[in-house]
Amino acid sequence: MKVWMALLLMICAGSANAAFPDKPFRIIVPSGAGGPAELCMRAVAEVMRADLGQHFVIENVPGAPGNIGLERVANATPDGYTMIQASAANTANLASRPKAAFDILTLKPVGKVCQASFTLAVAPGLNIKTVDELVRHAKANPGKLSYGSIGHGSSQHLVAEMFSAAIGVDILHVPYKGESLVAAEMAAGRIQMMFMAGAKPFMDGGLIVGIATTNRETWPPIPNLPPIGKTAALPGFSYNGWNGLFAPKGTPDDRIRRVSQALVKAQSDEKVRALINTFGNQPGAGTPEELAAQVKTDLVRFRGIVESRKLVFIE
């Protein structure tokens, strides 16, 4: 009797696993519509849908530097159907506001969807074309330059502070609620520069001028721009952004792996790769291990910037 019961339980467990997924996935994006994280998720969603046999419903939940969306996913049933498309903005927020930010380390990594090289963009009215020109201009005009970000403690903010420290010039920080707003302000000449995660569409539209990227080597989606770290003014300067899927703590590992496999498959699709390139990004590796390593690396680096620049944030 015990043997038959054990066999029955094994069969039921196998059937349950085989049935996954049997309903649509819900993906929370903790930022406004049209941002890099949402665009990257939509780029892979159709191929993932075909592989998994279920639709992906994408929901934007902005607010409280991503905390609202992160907490909603953390409190969701850990069955693999509810995930969040988090990004470097969330690790930056945790490094900046450790008491108030949601601890992204409590979620389970599924896979990095896109990786990004920030583009150092400037206002067209500056008539600056290179990093060396920008650095000379900043040093000759102390206190007259400002840079935009998507908020206090965002990755754009912290990388700009890293730049400011590297050139030895303080630059005024002006936060906004999205990169599109900063692009418009740069086009109007009210903001002079920004490190942007999704600069390419604004460059193509003539709103801003890209002068370099933060990747160590030439960034394939924008091959005409040099790496900042290979310029005379800032040798070795580099940083890469990212966005990726996370699931609630307690989500079964086999379900995490199944979604990750679908993500990896989507990222190998040439049409998907080409679409992601149009955003100025590249596909990530799509594995839980790569994403977990990225989060840990981010936190070490961002905490170092906050400490060295003596940045103070309201918790």
Side-chain angles (χ1 to χ4, degrees), residues 138-150:
K139 290 183 175 180
N141 297 275
K144 295 183 179 180
L145 289 185
S146 59
Y147 70 86
S149 81
I150 61 170

Side-chain angles (χ1 to χ4, degrees), residues 19 27 32-33 38 50 54 59 70 80 91 95 103 106 123 160 175 185 188 206 215 219 223 236 247 258 266 305:
I27 309 298
E38 179 188 349
Q54 296 294 335
E59 180 183 353
L70 288 161
T91 48
D103 187 354
T106 63
E185 291 290 277
N215 199 50
W219 186 241
R258 179 68 187 95
I305 295 170

Side-chain angles (χ1 to χ4, degrees), residues 257-277:
R257 188 62 63 183
R258 179 68 187 95
V259 176
S260 173
Q261 289 170 349
L263 175 58
V264 171
K265 183 176 181 179
Q267 291 167 326
S268 67
D269 184 279
E270 289 303 320
K271 291 183 179 179
V272 171
R273 296 180 70 86
L275 180 57
I276 288 174
N277 280 348

Side-chain angles (χ1 to χ4, degrees), residues 44 48 109-116 219 241-245 256-269 273 276 281-294:
V44 300
M48 291 181 71
V110 177
K112 190 190 296 184
V113 180
C114 285
Q115 53 188 5
W219 186 241
W242 56 273
N243 55 67
L245 285 172
I256 294 284
R257 188 62 63 183
R258 179 68 187 95
V259 176
S260 173
Q261 289 170 349
L263 175 58
V264 171
K265 183 176 181 179
Q267 291 167 326
S268 67
D269 184 279
R273 296 180 70 86
I276 288 174
N281 293 344
Q282 286 195 302
T287 65
E289 295 79 12
E290 180 210 25
L291 184 52
Q294 178 74 63

Side-chain angles (χ1 to χ4, degrees), residues 126-143:
L126 284 180
N127 197 30
I128 286 174
K129 305 297 182 185
T130 69
V131 174
D132 294 342
E133 289 177 3
L134 176 61
V135 172
R136 286 196 298 270
H137 181 78
K139 290 183 175 180
N141 297 275

Side-chain angles (χ1 to χ4, degrees), residues 9-49:
L9 288 172
M10 290 175 64
I11 292 171
C12 289
S15 299
N17 289 333
F20 178 82
D22 61 359
K23 63 181 181 180
F25 293 92
R26 179 176 174 235
I27 309 298
I28 300 295
V29 177
S31 57
E38 179 188 349
L39 292 175
C40 284
M41 188 62 231
R42 291 191 183 280
V44 300
E46 186 58 28
V47 175
M48 291 181 71
R49 182 204 63 76

